[in-house]
Amino acid sequence: MDFEQTWAILASAFTQIHEKQASKLSFEELYRNAYKIVLKKKGDELYLRVAEFERDWLSSEIERRIHKELPPQLMNALQGRSSAGSVGDDQVRTQGERFLRQLKLAWEDHQTCMSMLTDVLMYMDRVYCADTRRPSIFTTAMSLFRDCILRSHVRGDDSWPDICGTLNHVILDQIRMERDGDFIDKHLIKANVYMLEGLYDSHHEVEEEKLYLTSFEYEFLASSAEFYRALGDRLLKESDAGQYCRETRKRIDEENDRCRSTLLESTTPKIQKVVEDELIRYRMKDLIESESGVRFMITNERHDDLALVFDLEARVDPRKPELTKALQKIILEMGTNLNDAAQLGAAAEAPEDRAKAPADKLVNQQTVAALKWVEDVLELKDKFDAMWKQSFQSDQTIHTAIMRSSAEFINSHPRCAEYMSLFIDDNMKKGIKGKTELEIEALLNKAIVLLRYVQEKDVFELYYKKHLGKRLLMGRSLSIDVEKQMIFRMKMELGNNFTAKLEGMFKDMTLSEELTAGYKGYVARLGDADPRRIDLAINVLTSMTWPVETTNSAPDDARESRLKTIYPPAMERIRQGFENYYKEKYSGRMLDWKGNMGTVDVKVTFPKVPSKGFKERRHELNVSTYAMLILLLFNDLPSGASLSLEEIQARTNIPTNELVRNLQSLAVAPKTRILLKEPMSKDVKDTDKFFFNEGFMGKFHKVKIGIVSAGNRIENDRERVETEKKNNDSRGYAIEAAVVRIMKQRKELSHQQLVTETITQLNSQFKPDVNMIKKRIESLIEREYLERIEDSPSSSYRYLA
Amino acid sequence: MAEDEDRPRKVRRLASSKPKLGRMVTVSVGTGDKARDFYLHEDPIIEHSDFFKAALAGNRWQEGTERKVLLPEDEPEEFEGFQCFVYSGLTFLLNHPDGECSSIVHAWSFADKLQSCSYKDALTDSLALKVATSAKTPVGMQYGIADGSSVSAGLTRLLVDLAICYWTIGAFEKLDLEAAPKTFVRKLLVGLAEDRTRTNEDKPWLNEDCHYHDHGEEKPCYKTMFTY
């Protein structure tokens, strides 16, 4: 076998193959010749000859065809890319497409020919190349295409980019046109992209060295970043935030489509990141804070736009930091506005020396403002809840953010606990009237939700006890059932500890009803059937359970409160009677009568007043126990006689402030003027004289004489100081209890740990003040519950059993 | 899938698993008086020979357009052996003047030319089987292998192993270094060096596995290709 002869046969056949005239060639003949060369150990030479043949073919014929499609005009346009898109854009575009088409054709031809050559040279590939570890002839031929075509320079000029660089320019130019709204031949580009995907940067055929990655993708991403940076600038200036979001979404979708139809899907995550970086990550803050940003959207209820903002930021960061930050800021601002409005509504406190009546009016105004504040808070919360569901896909992070900032502004209102309790109080007394069960349920839920925000649960408990106490004792609650439901919910939310005393109050009420009935039966059995006997309804309250205000409304009048109120004999008898009955049932308990809390129905006969043409009139008056005592004094007085305030007090021992209040409602309040005062003024002074008003004229048979400011309302300054002091005391006890509990269990602990654990334990009730904890620890050391550990590096304590 | 040997071959089969036969192709082997035409189904010979696969692919070559392949320089008897293998999965061997073993080596060279991995492996197995069941070990088979054929071929490896294990001193003395393929000699020397540690039990040609096969990971073993 002669090599040169055999090679000549192969070479001429290869030429025919490249010229697409292979169908007359016998495969067997070519295969047999190549096979024989290899069997004769000439594989090496054959391999080199084939490579040489391909190199010649590519760098003469193919290179010529490609370079022909790159006229100077196109090269210049691509070079000075800044001027592209102006004059001759269409022509450049057509020329670019022709170049792409020619390159695609060359590549596809090369592949077809090489696959045929590979078949002919199968034995060489399988035996020679495998044994000597050479790359297959196909691989070598592909590298040749890269070196001879893609790395060649047009007209041999190195100052212009090579074909590969030119290809990048042309493709990027086409993509730019498409981004600007033109239609381009996607398939044509895709074919060229496949070529880059099929070639490698060097003879190492590793994934990362694909030409698509090393040559094209990098430039594509860089130019895209540039494009989107400019677009972001323009959009922020020219569009509102909603439009910006919509445009961004559209662009992201477009880039996804582009990767699918024009480039490669492996680029999708990378270009997405570029768009997300340029249009979202680096812009989110500006976008959210822009004039038409999140604040505008919230104010104008642009739920769809908010959803878009959420969607966009969620793409780049699951924590959505900018949106969260903006929301928190807005909620806090809106909340602070509510707080300020409530303060404004409450206005300045009444100065001490002003008349009582207007002061009360002011207090009522403040109460209204407090209720309005709670309503507003609820409305704000509802607004953001709805937004959370509608626009933020009920996202957990956003929820936490809303909760936190709500809690923050609510707790920054110093009287939030009191206001919340007042809100429930108002609803229990008026709000739930005529509401369906479902509506009441919703209301209770709202109340609980608000309660969840309040940090100082102990303060709330204090107010709730006070308000509930008044509701129960004065029968002001519309539905005991709803009251109990409320307590049940609190129990579920805050635990048994929180509601134990509140439940005790209900128990006392039930027991009292039984006692009243029992006493009635007891009296009946005694056989004392005095028809003029006084009916007695009694409430026995456990002093630890009920708030102190209810049982002692004048804590500053300690001296007076020690004086026993003087009851008339008829009353005194009943009092004794009940006390005897009670002691039989429960020995060892002290009963303390609260004249300021009770009410009495009394029948009063007003005489004829011929001068005014009045007949004799009977009225049934509902008055406080103290008022009853005052009125009874006038029974024994001749018509026209008077009593001074001092005299009344001497004969009844009613505490001064209570006496003044009762006299005000009896003699000053215009519609219930059972007594006349001299001189007639709003203030009650020690020397004032009181007369029975024989000329009283009531429209109804029954007249209710309320005590001034008896209802639940906002506390005045003095009361609040009182409440705070009481609350601080009870917090002190709670802290001490917690400290002792912890130390009993741990025996020894450092100061820092003890403080931390104490705060954790008490967190559900209130946020303990660190100074207070320190003081309490000191006090416990003094009382020898704890001792300091002397030689410890950090200050530590030991529990003393 | 290979049939489980313990069970009789099932006669009922699903239509979806029927053998693919394809169009008929004429293969004309030899020249002059000895020339013979064979008529075969296209699919099985494409499956078993990469040469036929390339020759008949589409209309690239004359063979594809004319549905006829000429093998002027080969022997009709060898081709018949390949044809029988393609339809049966068995090797049918000629009476070679140098004995059965040499005819196996001849057939192997033809299979190598046709790039039929399955036929090559089946032939190698036949040789191993022959050696395992006969008392005398043949010595001249290496001369039938062309020097330019694959160094790593299973057959070469088997021949080297057999020589190391069974050749007598006399056989080594008689080895014609001119005629023997250089690859074989080099492998034999390397093998001898390695073999100084090998024990007698370690005779891979007695195992019916793919030790001497050329199919590698990518192609199936011929044993799994015949399911009928």
Side-chain angles (χ1 to χ4, degrees):
Chain A
M1 184 214 66
D2 179 54
F3 178 82
E4 289 303 332
Q5 224 171 350
T6 318
W7 166 246
I9 298 170
L10 290 174
S12 99
F14 290 173
T15 309
Q16 277 176 276
I17 289 172
H18 280 96
E19 284 165 357
K20 300 183 185 172
Q21 291 156 4
S23 58
K24 289 280 169 273
L25 293 171
S26 157
F27 174 72
E28 192 275 339
E29 189 193 347
L30 301 174
Y31 178 89
R32 173 161 33 88
N33 282 312
Y35 166 75
K36 278 186 186 164
I37 292 177
V38 177
L39 275 193
K40 292 288 173 213
K41 305 214 74 170
K42 292 273 170 46
D44 190 35
E45 223 173 320
L46 178 60
Y47 190 90
L48 294 176
R49 287 289 180 94
V50 177
E52 201 184 304
F53 179 91
E54 284 307 316
R55 188 190 307 278
D56 283 351
W57 174 260
L58 288 171
S59 42
S60 57
E61 183 61 24
I62 304 300
E63 196 193 82
R64 189 181 54 76
R65 288 185 206 167
I66 304 281
H67 288 186
K68 206 178 74 198
E69 300 299 345
L70 289 171
Q73 193 192 4
L74 175 63
M75 292 302 284
N76 283 329
L78 293 172
Q79 276 298 92
R81 276 171 56 76
S82 53
S83 68
S86 52
V87 199
D89 204 16
D90 257 7
Q91 201 180 354
V92 168
R93 175 192 169 137
T94 321
Q95 286 172 344
E97 282 179 359
R98 279 175 56 188
F99 163 72
L100 291 178
R101 213 162 280 132
Q102 188 57 252
L103 196 56
K104 167 185 179 238
L105 194 67
W107 169 249
E108 285 169 356
D109 282 353
H110 187 60
Q111 293 227 302
T112 315
C113 293
M114 281 322 295
S115 110
M116 291 176 81
L117 258 62
T118 297
D119 280 353
V120 169
L121 301 168
M122 187 192 302
Y123 203 81
M124 179 185 82
D125 265 342
R126 300 263 176 98
V127 174
Y128 165 74
C129 294
D131 282 354
T132 53
R133 309 234 158 113
R134 273 182 180 267
S136 73
I137 191 68
F138 189 88
T139 307
T140 303
M142 293 305 124
S143 312
L144 285 173
F145 188 87
R146 175 195 65 220
D147 296 341
C148 302
I149 303 297
L150 296 185
R151 299 255 160 95
S152 72
H153 289 267
V154 180
R155 283 169 282 279
D157 187 346
D158 278 0
S159 62
W160 279 348
D162 60 10
I163 299 293
C164 202
T166 311
L167 175 64
N168 284 347
H169 281 332
V170 173
I171 296 179
L172 292 178
D173 215 39
Q174 297 255 326
I175 288 174
R176 178 188 58 79
M177 290 179 212
E178 192 182 41
R179 279 182 182 144
D180 290 345
D182 273 359
F183 287 100
I184 57 167
D185 187 344
K186 295 173 182 173
H187 294 290
L188 187 57
I189 296 175
K190 183 109 184 175
N192 281 282
V193 162
Y194 275 143
M195 173 183 74
L196 294 176
E197 164 78 357
L199 291 172
Y200 295 82
D201 198 37
S202 68
H203 63 276
H204 299 297
E205 297 205 342
V206 285
E207 196 63 25
E208 304 82 61
E209 299 223 339
K210 285 188 166 168
L211 274 188
Y212 176 77
L213 297 179
T214 58
S215 160
F216 174 73
E217 196 183 58
Y218 172 78
E219 283 201 31
F220 168 66
L221 295 177
S223 74
S224 299
E226 202 179 304
F227 174 82
Y228 282 112
R229 204 169 303 136
L231 182 71
D233 272 341
R234 212 181 67 222
L235 284 177
L236 268 184
K237 269 188 219 119
E238 295 172 5
S239 316
D240 75 24
Q243 274 172 313
Y244 184 100
C245 293
R246 276 185 286 275
E247 178 77 13
T248 302
R249 280 205 64 134
K250 196 187 97 197
R251 291 290 181 172
I252 289 174
D253 290 346
E254 272 177 14
E255 291 300 333
N256 283 350
D257 285 345
R258 178 167 300 114
C259 286
R260 207 174 308 122
S261 63
T262 316
L263 304 175
L264 291 179
E265 301 230 33
S266 60
T267 304
T268 311
K270 299 176 199 169
I271 185 67
Q272 263 193 28
K273 186 174 179 304
V274 167
V275 185
E276 283 169 1
D277 278 352
E278 296 299 340
L279 290 187
I280 307 175
R281 197 168 281 124
Y282 308 149
R283 304 279 186 185
M284 210 58 201
K285 196 166 183 299
D286 291 345
L287 179 69
I288 283 174
E289 290 172 359
S290 71
E291 219 164 283
S292 55
V294 167
R295 185 186 309 275
F296 173 84
M297 293 174 185
I298 289 175
T299 319
N300 294 286
E301 312 251 323
R302 296 275 172 87
H303 286 126
D304 293 347
D305 288 355
L306 284 168
L308 281 170
V309 172
F310 171 82
D311 214 47
L312 287 189
E313 208 188 5
R315 298 182 74 101
V316 299
D317 192 335
R319 290 174 296 120
K320 295 146 293 250
E322 296 299 341
L323 180 59
T324 314
K325 229 189 297 173
L327 278 176
Q328 283 183 311
K329 201 171 149 209
I330 291 166
I331 292 175
L332 215 56
E333 269 177 32
M334 293 174 89
T336 311
N337 282 345
L338 290 187
N339 290 353
D340 293 350
Q343 233 116 51
L344 217 64
E349 293 285 333
E352 280 301 312
D353 57 357
R354 268 180 69 179
K356 278 276 178 185
D360 279 336
K361 213 179 223 166
L362 190 71
V363 166
N364 279 337
Q365 260 175 23
Q366 288 170 351
T367 309
V368 169
L371 292 174
K372 170 125 179 28
W373 178 78
V374 178
E375 296 278 3
D376 288 347
V377 169
L378 275 175
E379 198 186 312
L380 184 68
K381 210 195 116 40
D382 281 350
K383 182 183 167 92
F384 279 92
D385 274 354
M387 201 185 297
W388 176 66
K389 284 200 193 101
Q390 227 177 312
S391 305
F392 302 143
Q393 298 171 20
S394 302
D395 177 80
Q396 197 49 50
T397 321
I398 302 278
H399 187 240
T400 315
I402 295 178
M403 287 282 285
R404 280 225 186 105
S405 9
S406 300
E408 194 179 326
F409 87 76
I410 288 174
N411 284 300
S412 76
H413 194 295
R415 304 170 75 171
C416 63
E418 184 188 358
Y419 283 12
M420 301 251 173
S421 178
L422 264 180
F423 171 76
I424 299 175
D425 183 69
D426 184 63
N427 272 297
M428 288 296 182
K429 291 193 301 207
K430 290 181 268 185
I432 60 172
K433 201 169 198 170
K435 283 199 168 130
T436 66
E437 258 179 57
L438 271 177
E439 284 167 337
I440 291 174
E441 177 111 8
L443 191 82
L444 294 180
N445 269 338
K446 275 185 185 173
I448 287 293
V449 166
L450 285 181
L451 187 50
R452 218 172 272 163
Y453 287 113
V454 176
Q455 208 159 38
E456 303 185 312
K457 302 276 198 292
D458 56 343
V459 180
F460 175 81
E461 187 191 350
L462 219 56
Y463 281 110
Y464 197 78
K465 245 157 72 176
K466 175 179 152 189
H467 294 154
L468 175 65
K470 280 199 178 161
R471 285 204 296 280
L472 289 177
L473 290 179
M474 301 172 76
R476 298 290 295 276
S477 227
L478 287 176
S479 160
I480 292 297
D481 195 40
V482 175
E483 289 277 8
K484 285 186 174 164
Q485 278 184 44
M486 188 71 227
I487 301 294
F488 178 74
R489 273 158 205 266
M490 287 184 188
K491 194 170 172 175
M492 301 298 287
E493 186 70 27
L494 304 167
N496 272 336
N497 273 349
F498 186 81
T499 51
K501 285 186 178 168
L502 299 177
E503 283 173 309
M505 290 165 75
F506 283 97
K507 207 183 285 164
D508 277 354
M509 292 307 286
T510 320
L511 271 178
S512 300
E513 263 172 47
E514 287 167 13
L515 273 173
T516 305
Y519 178 63
K520 214 174 246 171
Y522 165 83
V523 171
R525 273 194 307 282
L526 282 181
D528 182 6
D530 183 357
R532 292 180 56 204
R533 212 185 47 75
I534 300 164
D535 260 349
L536 180 69
I538 202 124
N539 286 321
V540 180
L541 314 179
T542 314
S543 60
M544 284 304 288
T545 309
W546 292 72
V548 189
E549 292 100 322
T550 327
T551 48
N552 186 1
S553 75
D556 50 6
D557 274 341
R559 186 190 56 80
E560 286 178 341
S561 70
R562 274 200 301 276
L563 289 174
K564 277 212 163 161
T565 312
I566 301 165
Y567 291 96
M571 303 277 302
E572 189 57 30
R573 223 173 28 247
I574 294 179
R575 206 169 76 105
Q576 284 297 332
F578 181 79
E579 273 189 24
N580 290 341
Y581 168 74
Y582 189 78
K583 273 176 187 153
E584 266 177 38
K585 288 192 86 145
Y586 308 95
S587 60
R589 288 198 191 172
M590 266 278 292
L591 281 178
D592 186 13
W593 294 76
K594 296 291 170 190
N596 58 326
M597 300 298 301
T599 58
V600 184
D601 289 336
V602 282
K603 286 177 183 154
V604 183
T605 309
F606 294 91
K608 266 199 278 197
V609 185
S611 59
K612 290 188 181 173
F614 290 177
K615 290 180 198 154
E616 189 179 83
R617 303 166 314 282
R618 286 170 189 282
H619 282 284
E620 201 173 310
L621 304 183
N622 178 273
V623 294
S624 76
T625 309
Y626 284 144
M628 183 251 327
L629 293 181
I630 297 166
L631 287 178
L632 283 179
L633 294 179
F634 289 90
N635 251 357
D636 306 333
L637 231 59
S639 176
S642 71
L643 289 169
S644 71
L645 184 132
E646 279 167 323
E647 282 172 309
I648 295 173
Q649 185 163 31
R651 291 172 62 178
T652 57
N653 268 352
I654 297 172
T656 314
N657 64 335
E658 291 287 343
L659 183 59
V660 169
R661 270 213 273 182
N662 278 289
L663 284 172
Q664 269 182 334
S665 30
L666 287 171
V668 178
K671 282 180 185 164
T672 58
R673 217 168 273 175
I674 311 295
L675 300 180
L676 295 172
K677 189 167 86 75
E678 210 184 82
M680 186 53 217
S681 63
K682 277 184 178 170
D683 288 335
V684 177
K685 295 198 184 68
D686 283 0
T687 50
D688 283 355
K689 282 188 157 51
F690 296 91
F691 301 85
F692 182 60
N693 180 10
E694 291 179 342
F696 174 77
M697 200 54 203
K699 277 183 188 155
F700 302 101
H701 178 63
K702 282 192 176 180
V703 180
K704 188 174 169 71
I705 300 167
I707 302 165
V708 171
S709 67
N712 281 335
R713 49 167 178 88
I714 192 161
E715 282 184 336
N716 60 32
D717 274 350
R718 189 177 51 82
E719 287 168 324
R720 191 154 351 99
V721 170
E722 203 57 46
T723 310
E724 260 168 37
K725 184 178 165 298
K726 208 155 28 187
N727 196 43
N728 275 342
D729 288 349
S730 71
R731 279 185 182 186
Y733 296 135
I735 291 172
E736 279 187 7
V739 168
V740 170
R741 231 177 3 252
I742 293 164
M743 290 307 291
K744 193 170 182 177
Q745 192 197 356
R746 307 286 293 266
K747 304 300 178 211
E748 286 182 13
L749 211 57
S750 78
H751 174 77
Q752 200 47 51
Q753 277 174 302
L754 180 58
V755 169
T756 315
E757 281 203 33
T758 308
I759 291 175
T760 319
Q761 274 212 3
L762 295 172
N763 216 13
S764 67
Q765 300 170 45
F766 59 94
K767 201 170 178 184
D769 177 48
V770 176
N771 276 329
M772 199 189 267
I773 299 178
K774 271 188 197 156
K775 274 188 199 146
R776 288 295 139 186
I777 294 175
E778 291 296 331
S779 155
L780 284 170
I781 291 173
E782 267 170 39
R783 284 176 283 157
E784 298 192 334
Y785 281 96
L786 309 176
E787 66 173 9
R788 281 209 173 76
I789 301 175
E790 291 299 334
D791 46 359
S792 142
S794 59
S795 82
S796 304
Y797 308 106
R798 181 182 294 125
Y799 179 68
L800 297 173
Chain B
M1 287 298 110
E3 281 294 314
D4 191 331
E5 283 175 35
D6 294 339
R7 276 186 309 175
R9 286 190 166 191
K10 277 189 294 179
V11 73
R12 288 173 61 245
R13 301 291 172 99
L14 286 173
S16 57
S17 69
K18 68 186 175 195
K20 289 186 178 62
L21 298 170
R23 294 179 294 173
M24 296 303 283
V25 182
T26 311
V27 181
S28 188
V29 190
T31 43
D33 297 345
K34 281 179 75 184
R36 247 179 86 188
D37 281 357
F38 294 86
Y39 305 97
L40 300 93
H41 290 95
E42 183 182 47
D43 285 4
I45 59 166
I46 284 179
E47 189 187 7
H48 286 285
S49 156
D50 289 339
F51 166 83
F52 281 112
K53 191 176 175 182
L56 297 169
N59 291 329
R60 276 186 175 181
W61 312 96
Q62 195 184 23
E63 282 90 341
T65 9
E66 295 179 2
R67 317 291 313 151
K68 183 170 183 176
V69 182
L70 302 177
L71 295 173
E73 298 189 7
D74 294 297
E75 290 161 32
E77 290 78 8
E78 290 292 0
F79 188 80
E80 195 175 11
F82 171 69
Q83 183 190 26
C84 293
F85 172 76
V86 162
Y87 284 106
S88 69
L90 304 171
T91 59
F92 301 89
L93 299 160
L94 299 169
N95 265 331
H96 196 272
D98 297 338
E100 190 185 339
C101 291
S102 290
S103 73
I104 291 177
V105 174
H106 256 97
W108 188 89
S109 295
F110 182 60
D112 190 37
K113 182 184 174 186
L114 295 186
Q115 282 294 296
S116 171
C117 199
S118 48
Y119 191 33
K120 280 197 292 184
D121 289 347
L123 288 162
T124 308
D125 281 357
S126 303
L127 183 64
L129 207 62
K130 168 75 184 162
V131 172
T133 53
S134 71
K136 207 167 140 262
T137 311
V139 288
M141 292 176 294
Q142 64 276 6
Y143 305 118
I145 298 173
D147 208 10
S149 69
S150 174
V151 201
S152 53
L155 182 70
T156 319
R157 284 185 287 126
L158 175 63
L159 292 180
V160 168
D161 281 358
L162 289 177
I164 291 165
C165 190
Y166 295 118
W167 278 10
T168 57
I169 305 288
F172 277 102
E173 281 173 343
K174 271 189 252 164
L175 180 63
D176 182 348
L177 285 177
E178 292 297 311
K182 287 189 189 63
T183 48
F184 171 79
V185 177
R186 191 183 308 115
K187 284 217 146 195
L188 180 59
L189 293 173
V190 173
L192 282 167
E194 282 174 352
D195 198 60
R196 278 175 286 202
T197 56
R198 183 153 31 171
T199 62
N200 254 5
E201 280 86 62
D202 194 7
K203 292 173 182 165
W205 55 90
L206 298 181
N207 300 331
E208 289 186 28
D209 58 18
C210 301
H211 190 78
Y212 294 109
H213 290 181
D214 291 336
H215 55 72
E217 300 285 324
E218 283 167 24
K219 291 190 171 182
C221 176
Y222 76 92
K223 289 178 182 172
T224 68
M225 295 168 80
F226 296 94
T227 60
Y228 303 100

